[in-house]
Amino acid sequence: MRAFHPKWKEMAPRATVSGWTRFKAAQEWLDRNMPLPANAAVSSASGAAPVPAAPAAALAPQDPLYREFLEWRASRTEASTNR
């Protein structure tokens, strides 16, 4: 049995989110346990390497779970308007 799901390999703990500040203790842990490579570009504001990301709109339609969510949400909207 695997200790973790393979999708966890896709996680980017050092990724930054515009407008959010990482908890200081979490940033210190990342600095100790996941140092940046020497040649990585570093954002001056966060101290983290920028992570290229695909737009959500480009990925979402391909994801079956997301499609299922959209169908569920549409059915709830229809149900609420038919009351």
Side-chain angles (χ1 to χ4, degrees), residues 3-5 14 17 20 24 28 39 42 44 51-52 57 63 69 81:
F4 59 90
H5 192 279
R14 293 200 67 88
V17 177
W20 287 70
K24 184 180 178 188
E28 290 169 355
N39 60 352
V42 178
S44 59
V51 176
D63 185 3
F69 164 73
T81 58

Side-chain angles (χ1 to χ4, degrees), residues 31-68:
D31 293 341
R32 279 191 317 273
N33 296 289
M34 300 182 85
L36 289 172
N39 60 352
V42 178
S43 165
S44 59
S46 66
V51 176
L59 297 175
Q62 300 168 353
D63 185 3
L65 182 60
Y66 184 69
R67 277 197 310 264
E68 184 180 336

Side-chain angles (χ1 to χ4, degrees), residues 18-31:
S18 177
W20 287 70
T21 303
R22 184 174 280 127
F23 182 61
K24 184 180 178 188
Q27 183 62 52
E28 290 169 355
W29 185 93
L30 285 170
D31 293 341

